[in-house]
Amino acid sequence: MPDIRLIPCLSDNYAVLLKAGDTVVLIDAPEAAPIEAVLEKEGWRLTHILVTHKHADHIDGIPALAAAFKPEIIGPAAEESSIPGLTQTVREGDTVTVGPFKVEVFDTPGHTKGHVVFYFPKEKLLFAGDTMFALGCGRLFEDTPAAMWNSLKKLRALPDDVTVYCGHEYTLSNARFAVTVDPGNEALKARAGEIEAARKAGQPTVPFPLGLEKATSPFLRADDPAVAEGVGRPDAAPEIVFAEVRERKNNF
Ligand code: ZN
Ligand code: FE
């Protein structure tokens, strides 16, 4: 397995560094300083940046890191004009070679239309950006609930033992919301308790296992009758239930 560092940035963002051999890969660049500090402390030389989407809190660190390290910068083709310095663009179905890593790309429209996520099948790592959060999902700035539901279903189809890294520490609010729409879910209740304790202790809730997310996130379970019932939409189609869950979270 690669060496991994989770790096808190800005107020609630996460960047991640992965190292294997001479390859050092950064996933998203919210700001340069905390990332440079970890690189310096570890004595690592940045070789690649993978970018999930165009929002400022995922790309603002790119120019300084690019100037210092001249890394390959790989990001979504559909957002090429909005992301500085891309050296390679990717889209659904691409497999990119990043040093020793083979990385699969999925288009996950919803939060932005061009958002991509990066899946390392051999290492069983998923970098979900602002598509999927622990017990949550990104706000729908540029696409429909149906589009986001389809994107999340793609991620839900990956194996349970995949480890997920996401772009933000939003988990405590997500957990407090999730129990309101899926109150009978014992696994969710247990997880919510663990999250309260972790945050009280100042610990991150990222990464997390995809299997646990499948069992507990209302955003991945819009086709479960219990969640449909929980949002007052029994018998509604999953994308309608999903839209209701997302709307309720917006107002939570
Ligand atoms: Zn974003
Ligand atoms: Fe973000």
Side-chain angles (χ1 to χ4, degrees):
M1 279 298 275
D3 230 336
I4 305 183
R5 298 290 181 276
L6 180 74
I7 307 172
C9 294
L10 304 174
S11 58
D12 53 30
N13 279 81
Y14 286 125
V16 182
L17 282 170
L18 301 182
K19 180 178 186 292
D22 292 335
T23 300
V24 177
V25 187
L26 171 69
I27 294 88
D28 284 342
E31 57 176 337
I35 296 163
E36 287 172 334
V38 172
L39 289 166
E40 175 137 352
K41 172 166 172 278
E42 303 291 351
W44 294 357
R45 191 177 186 290
L46 185 66
T47 60
H48 298 77
I49 304 176
L50 304 182
V51 185
T52 60
H53 68 294
K54 66 186 179 184
H55 284 157
D57 64 309
H58 298 255
I59 67 171
D60 276 358
I62 290 177
L65 293 165
F69 297 101
K70 305 272 182 274
E72 294 292 320
I73 307 176
I74 300 163
E79 299 185 352
E80 185 177 13
S81 62
S82 310
I83 301 172
L86 291 184
T87 59
Q88 185 179 353
T89 60
V90 291
R91 53 171 59 83
E92 176 88 14
D94 287 348
T95 298
V96 203
T97 300
V98 177
F101 303 114
K102 295 272 182 270
V103 184
E104 295 178 9
V105 179
F106 299 103
D107 287 340
T108 56
H111 179 66
T112 64
K113 268 196 185 295
H115 195 297
V116 297
V117 303
F118 299 100
Y119 178 48
F120 291 54
K122 187 161 157 277
E123 294 80 11
K124 297 213 158 164
L125 297 171
L126 174 66
F127 296 93
D130 286 1
T131 295
M132 178 165 68
F133 300 128
L135 294 175
C137 75
R139 283 180 185 268
L140 306 181
F141 290 123
E142 294 185 3
D143 217 326
T144 61
M148 183 59 116
W149 171 240
N150 277 324
S151 295
L152 291 172
K153 276 197 295 184
K154 269 189 228 178
L155 306 188
R156 191 178 69 169
L158 298 172
D160 283 357
D161 59 349
V162 165
T163 296
V164 184
Y165 286 82
C166 60
H168 291 269
E169 178 62 65
Y170 290 157
T171 316
L172 187 57
S173 159
N174 288 343
R176 289 173 177 171
F177 168 74
V179 297
T180 68
V181 294
D182 196 8
N185 187 328
E186 294 301 327
L188 170 59
K189 270 187 244 177
R191 188 182 183 192
E194 288 166 14
I195 287 162
E196 294 274 353
R199 293 309 293 155
K200 199 172 280 177
Q203 292 161 0
T205 61
V206 175
F208 52 91
L210 184 57
L212 177 62
E213 190 68 13
K214 293 181 197 179
T216 54
S217 173
F219 295 93
L220 293 188
R221 300 178 59 252
D223 50 1
D224 184 311
V227 174
E229 188 77 40
V231 295
R233 295 292 189 117
D235 307 319
E239 53 272 20
I240 303 295
V241 174
F242 177 81
E244 182 67 28
V245 174
R246 184 60 260 181
E247 183 61 23
R248 288 188 181 212
K249 177 63 173 72
N250 292 346
N251 300 317
F252 181 70

